[in-house]
Amino acid sequence: MTLAFVPPETSSASPAPLSDLVARDAREFGVYARTGGWAFGLKVARSVRPGGQGADETPKVSAKEFAELAGCSTERVMRYYKAWDRAADDGLVPQFEALAPGQEVELPDADVWLGYYVSRNSATSERGTAISGAAEAEGIRPTKALEVAENPTALRAAILADPSTARAARQALLDRVREDPELQAELARDVVRTDDLKKAVATESRSADRIGYVRQIAESGQIKTPAGQTVDAPVDLRQEAERHLSLIDELEEDEDTGEWATDAYDTMKSLVVEAVEADPELRVQERRTKFYNSLQRATKVFEELTFDDVQEFVEDDMVQQLEELQQAIATCIAALQGTRGEAASPE
């Protein structure tokens, strides 16, 4: 039995006629896809009369009339007008006087439009000029920076929702803070008024101080003893400081340095104490320095006591404490004198 191929039935219905409105939309979309804002700039340039021309000299209308017909602001129309004017000065498009309503001309590429069109009037202000300059320095289009600057709510939403945007904002804010004392003060007030931020700053400050302690040993080759003496660090102690510092410096920017800083700081503190105890001469100097420091503090505290009008508030326990202090001082002096006598006596 032979199977014969039967072609599928085809519909005899003819396709629906193409709507003129659809065709027009497609053509206009194609023009905009190729030329971008130039398509609308041309509509303004050929329909809005340039300054100095009267209504009786041209069929064109004023920017205000055109805006009313378009259902938008005069400012928006003028932004397109000025963009075309700048391009005409560069010889990229015809001058206004050479264009008539409905006239078609060859338009530049869409990407070129962004170099002439400024989407915000603020771009011409001092603030806008600064923003545009900063945008150009960063290698981005000024129009994007101006749009962000005029929509802080959108900026806030992006920062709240996107970690990478928040990091970029943080870095920009830090760069700005370095040159803006007023902003520094405002941020400082915000920090001290926010408990979580205040704690975070205290924690980071403590970590920075500890890293600074280790870095000072590694870079200067000196240590400060518990009593406050500054002496040369032993070679092995300095090498240990350099090792800890290299580990900290190799951390990624977003890694927490707290534990590393604490470990390095505690290690170096212990090694400093061990270095002092291992050197007999340094150990004696350390104890002498501690004694002098304590004696000076006690002397300063005693000197700060004032006895003016003491009769108005004197009490028995005050006299008792001073008597006990006197006895302690006498005992201390006797011990020191005895020690000096023993040191002076021949063996």
Side-chain angles (χ1 to χ4, degrees):
M1 175 176 151
T2 303
L3 297 178
F5 173 74
V6 179
E9 293 184 1
T10 57
S11 174
S12 59
S14 59
L18 182 65
S19 166
D20 290 341
L21 296 176
V22 172
R24 188 185 68 182
D25 282 349
R27 286 193 299 272
E28 292 181 355
F29 179 84
V31 171
Y32 183 77
R34 292 188 301 274
T35 63
W38 294 113
F40 297 105
L42 174 61
K43 294 179 185 299
V44 172
R46 69 191 184 188
S47 299
V48 174
R49 63 174 177 264
Q53 275 195 342
D56 56 343
E57 301 178 51
T58 175
K60 298 182 180 182
V61 297
S62 67
K64 182 179 180 181
E65 292 176 277
F66 188 87
E68 291 174 351
L69 292 170
C72 66
S73 67
T74 305
E75 289 76 14
R76 179 179 292 274
V77 171
M78 287 305 299
R79 287 199 290 272
Y80 281 85
Y81 182 96
K82 291 176 181 178
W84 189 277
D85 191 32
R86 284 189 284 269
D89 287 342
D90 288 347
L92 203 62
V93 294
Q95 296 287 344
F96 295 103
E97 293 80 1
L99 295 172
Q103 182 178 346
E104 297 290 345
V105 298
E106 186 176 351
L107 297 173
D109 292 338
D111 292 343
V112 183
W113 171 256
L114 297 174
Y116 292 94
Y117 178 72
V118 178
S119 63
R120 297 292 185 271
N121 283 337
S122 61
T124 60
S125 67
E126 182 178 351
R127 172 175 176 265
T129 301
I131 293 172
S132 297
E136 291 175 356
E138 294 290 336
I140 63 172
R141 297 197 302 271
T143 50
K144 283 189 173 294
L146 289 164
E147 185 175 356
V148 170
E150 293 194 3
N151 197 344
T153 303
L155 177 61
R156 171 184 167 81
I159 292 173
L160 290 174
D162 179 37
S164 62
T165 302
R167 284 192 291 271
R170 175 182 61 85
Q171 187 58 57
L173 195 58
L174 286 176
D175 292 342
R176 176 61 185 267
V177 161
R178 295 186 181 98
E179 302 176 358
D180 192 336
E182 185 176 345
L183 183 58
Q184 290 177 14
E186 291 175 358
L187 283 178
R189 285 194 294 269
D190 290 339
V191 168
V192 299
R193 291 170 182 171
T194 308
D195 289 341
D196 291 342
L197 284 178
K198 187 162 57 175
K199 292 177 182 177
V201 168
T203 299
E204 291 299 322
S205 178
R206 183 165 57 251
S207 294
D209 289 342
R210 289 175 171 177
I211 294 173
Y213 174 81
V214 178
R215 191 179 299 279
Q216 189 275 333
I217 295 174
E219 295 179 354
S220 72
Q222 293 185 319
I223 57 174
K224 180 173 284 189
T225 68
Q229 297 185 88
T230 300
V231 298
D232 291 336
V235 175
D236 58 342
L237 192 150
R238 184 175 184 179
Q239 289 175 345
E240 184 67 8
E242 292 172 347
R243 186 182 72 82
H244 279 281
L245 194 60
S246 66
L247 291 173
I248 293 172
D249 289 342
E250 289 174 4
L251 294 175
E252 297 294 335
E253 184 178 352
D254 56 349
E255 287 190 77
D256 183 13
T257 60
E259 292 185 7
W260 295 83
T262 299
D263 179 58
Y265 179 81
D266 291 345
T267 299
M268 299 314 302
K269 279 287 188 180
S270 298
L271 291 177
V272 168
V273 172
E274 291 176 8
V276 171
E277 291 298 318
D279 186 330
E281 183 179 350
L282 182 57
R283 184 170 67 247
V284 172
Q285 291 177 356
E286 183 75 354
R287 291 174 180 174
R288 182 189 298 116
T289 302
K290 284 183 179 179
F291 187 89
Y292 267 116
N293 289 344
S294 298
L295 182 60
Q296 288 172 352
R297 285 196 299 270
T299 302
K300 184 177 181 181
V301 170
F302 186 80
E303 289 174 346
E304 289 176 352
L305 292 176
T306 58
F307 298 92
D308 298 336
D309 303 324
V310 70
Q311 67 276 5
E312 296 180 3
F313 56 80
V314 65
E315 297 178 358
D316 292 341
D317 63 335
M318 294 180 182
V319 177
Q320 182 181 349
Q321 286 190 41
L322 286 172
E323 289 174 345
E324 292 174 353
L325 178 59
Q326 184 182 31
Q327 293 174 3
I329 292 174
T331 301
C332 183
I333 292 173
L336 291 175
Q337 289 174 337
T339 301
R340 289 180 61 186
E342 291 176 4
S345 63
E347 294 183 358

